[in-house]
Amino acid sequence: MIPATSHMPLAERMRPAALDGFFGQRHLLAPGKPLRQAIDTGEIHSMIFWGPPGSGKTTLARLISQVSGARFLSLSAVLAGVKDIRDAVAEARAVRERERRTTLLFIDEVHRFNKAQQDAFLPHVENGTLTFIGATTENPSFALNNALLSRARVYVLEALDAAEIKRVLARALADPVQGFGDRQLHLSDEALRLLAAGADGDARRALNLLELAVRLTEGQEITAATVAELIAGSVRRFDKGGDLLYDQISALHKAVRGSAPDAALYWLARMIDGGCDPLYVARRLVRMASEDIGNADPRALELALDAWEAQERLGSPEGELALAQAVVYLACAAKSNAVYLAWNEALADARASGSLDVPVHLRNASTKLLKGLGYGRDYRYPHDEPEGYAADETYLPDALKGRRYYRPVDRGLELRIREKLDRLAALDDAARRG
């Protein structure tokens, strides 16, 4: 037991000593779940814990070592190198020979290891010298090499919900040895709610905030005002180049595509509140305007570009209102991916069909020589044709004659575009029939 008077941070003192005191991750640790079964039976395997800060990755690794009776060794990939791994392997060998038990090597921030460092301990995992548990906040599919992923099972840890955070705080307030139980502190419901909200799913942050609140408290009442002052200006979990960025921009894009303006506004707010560059969001809105709205409502592209310019000119926070305006408009606009699909099909043909010649009648006859070679011959000038349309004229290479890419949908302006193209197709049919 570590006394509350220790200089060790509260979050470290309050690490649970048994699984019963571990809050969160019910999807992994509830009775009958594979990880819980492995822990209960002592059948420990190499694994990777992927989850946000404060979700319990390190604590869970320590508890697994304790329950299984394995020797616990810990390295931080931020500080450790290949030599540290070799030293850990040598210690693990000595423990196996001396004590006849395995070693659990826990590597925090394992995504920081390069390929050579990750490969350094793989043979020793395979031969049973040690069991490996890695902790990462980054997507293992991108952050870790395939050799390591093939030898470890990935478990996804989730941020704690508000109820679980409150339980973490209540335990710290009640514990007379490791926490503040000896001081008989009182935390109002509003103060507890604010602390849980300020923690944003991170148990470590929750305990750090509580520790600061206690230091600022005179007497036994931790007030909501004290907590509000502590959490003022804090931002939500966000990583400007990692999974949360791409997950949230994906959610924003899908909300716009799904014509859900409220959800789209929420994800925009989450990204801005988390510190995302508003110009990155503006650029993606322009993409959404073309990919998911297109000619069903061409004003969407204009508004997205205007919002981008407003953000560049005004900066934050004024420019963010223009982004919000664009997001709402895009979400409410008629949807069409016809241009997106047409572009991809045309691009695929251009890449697959080689360098097809431009039909002679479409070529530019800019000199006498080119005219003599037939360039531009038989070209029909649409403005001189009935209805301003050269019926049954061809504009594609012969090998692609009749190919159709653009298929307007029956929504928004594209409904009118489709009607026009259908009428022109009827003129083509009439011309072919003679």
Side-chain angles (χ1 to χ4, degrees):
M1 294 287 230
I2 303 169
T5 54
S6 168
H7 295 296
M8 189 173 290
L10 176 65
E12 187 64 30
R13 301 199 307 266
M14 291 304 302
R15 286 191 189 277
L19 274 175
D20 291 342
F22 185 89
F23 298 134
Q25 317 312 327
R26 291 281 300 167
H27 65 293
L28 299 177
L29 298 175
K33 297 294 182 179
L35 180 56
R36 182 58 182 261
Q37 288 182 324
I39 295 172
D40 289 343
T41 59
E43 298 294 328
I44 304 303
H45 50 272
S46 291
M47 58 191 83
I48 295 165
F49 293 153
W50 172 27
S55 55
K57 299 183 291 294
T58 302
T59 298
L60 187 54
R62 289 180 180 275
L63 291 175
I64 289 173
S65 173
Q66 176 184 313
V67 171
S68 66
R71 173 75 180 279
F72 186 82
L73 282 180
S74 178
L75 293 177
S76 170
V78 176
L79 303 174
V82 172
K83 180 181 182 301
D84 299 288
I85 296 172
R86 289 173 179 159
D87 291 344
V89 169
E91 186 173 345
R93 284 203 190 101
V95 168
R96 186 172 62 173
E97 293 174 1
R98 183 177 65 249
E99 303 177 25
R100 302 299 180 187
R101 63 172 176 155
T102 189
T103 293
L104 190 155
L105 176 61
F106 175 73
I107 300 181
D108 197 17
E109 308 269 9
V110 67
H111 58 276
R112 300 289 189 95
F113 270 168
N114 60 34
K115 185 178 186 300
Q117 291 169 315
Q118 292 182 33
D119 288 343
F121 56 84
L122 287 180
H124 312 290
V125 172
E126 290 181 332
N127 65 24
T129 300
L130 52 83
T131 299
F132 157 73
I133 296 183
T136 179
T137 56
E138 302 288 332
N139 189 331
S141 301
F142 305 120
L144 305 179
N145 64 43
N146 290 332
L148 182 57
L149 284 174
S150 68
R151 291 162 176 81
R153 180 167 178 177
V154 176
Y155 292 101
V156 180
L157 278 68
E158 300 172 349
L160 277 65
D161 62 29
E164 290 163 343
I165 291 291
K166 289 177 181 178
R167 292 174 64 196
V168 169
L169 295 170
R171 187 167 70 98
L173 286 169
D175 191 311
V177 178
Q178 296 170 307
F180 301 113
D182 59 329
R183 292 186 54 175
Q184 297 182 335
L185 294 168
H186 179 258
L187 195 66
S188 70
D189 290 342
E190 178 61 10
L192 184 60
R193 186 193 68 78
L194 288 173
L195 272 178
D200 197 29
D202 184 333
R204 186 186 305 109
R205 185 192 290 186
L207 292 169
N208 288 341
L209 287 171
L210 175 61
E211 190 167 28
L212 287 172
V214 170
R215 290 177 183 174
L216 295 174
T217 296
E218 295 180 2
Q220 295 178 310
E221 176 73 22
I222 302 175
T223 66
T226 297
V227 175
E229 185 177 346
L230 280 174
I231 65 175
S234 63
V235 296
R236 308 296 149 248
R237 284 181 294 115
F238 192 77
D239 51 352
K240 296 183 181 180
D243 296 312
L244 283 177
L245 168 65
Y246 297 111
D247 287 348
Q248 290 182 19
I249 195 63
S250 175
L252 173 58
H253 196 152
K254 289 178 172 64
V256 166
R257 181 184 294 150
S259 299
D262 298 310
L265 275 175
Y266 169 78
W267 291 116
L268 172 66
R270 278 286 302 276
M271 296 186 75
I272 298 300
D273 179 62
C276 180
D277 181 0
L279 294 177
Y280 168 78
V281 178
R283 182 169 64 85
R284 293 300 296 263
L285 292 181
V286 171
R287 167 75 183 201
M288 296 174 204
S290 289
E291 179 177 340
D292 293 295
I293 297 167
N295 288 332
D297 188 345
R299 294 169 297 182
L301 181 56
E302 294 178 13
L303 192 61
L305 286 168
D306 287 345
W308 190 346
E309 184 177 1
Q311 180 64 51
E312 285 185 321
R313 290 189 175 208
L314 300 179
S316 297
E318 290 85 357
E320 291 156 12
L321 184 58
L323 296 181
Q325 179 183 351
V327 161
V328 170
Y329 189 92
L330 267 58
C332 296
K335 301 299 188 295
S336 171
N337 67 344
V339 171
Y340 173 73
L341 295 176
W343 168 246
N344 286 334
E345 289 182 32
L347 194 59
D349 270 354
R351 290 170 174 168
S353 58
S355 301
L356 298 176
D357 289 335
V358 176
V360 174
H361 71 286
L362 298 180
R363 298 183 189 182
N364 182 30
S366 57
T367 67
K368 287 185 178 181
L369 173 63
L370 296 179
K371 287 180 180 178
L373 293 174
Y375 281 32
R377 184 184 301 159
D378 300 326
Y379 170 66
R380 296 162 58 193
Y381 189 54
H383 295 292
D384 294 338
E385 298 280 336
E387 299 193 40
Y389 178 68
D392 202 31
E393 178 66 289
T394 60
Y395 298 95
L396 281 167
D398 291 341
L400 298 176
K401 188 174 181 179
R403 184 83 83 209
R404 184 180 179 188
Y405 302 119
Y406 182 46
R407 302 171 184 85
V409 301
D410 58 354
R411 295 182 294 278
L413 181 61
E414 281 201 333
L415 176 59
R416 300 288 299 277
I417 295 173
R418 190 182 71 176
E419 291 172 351
K420 176 181 178 179
L421 292 181
D422 287 346
R423 172 170 171 71
L424 297 181
L427 293 176
D428 290 339
D429 290 340
R432 282 193 289 270
R433 289 196 300 268

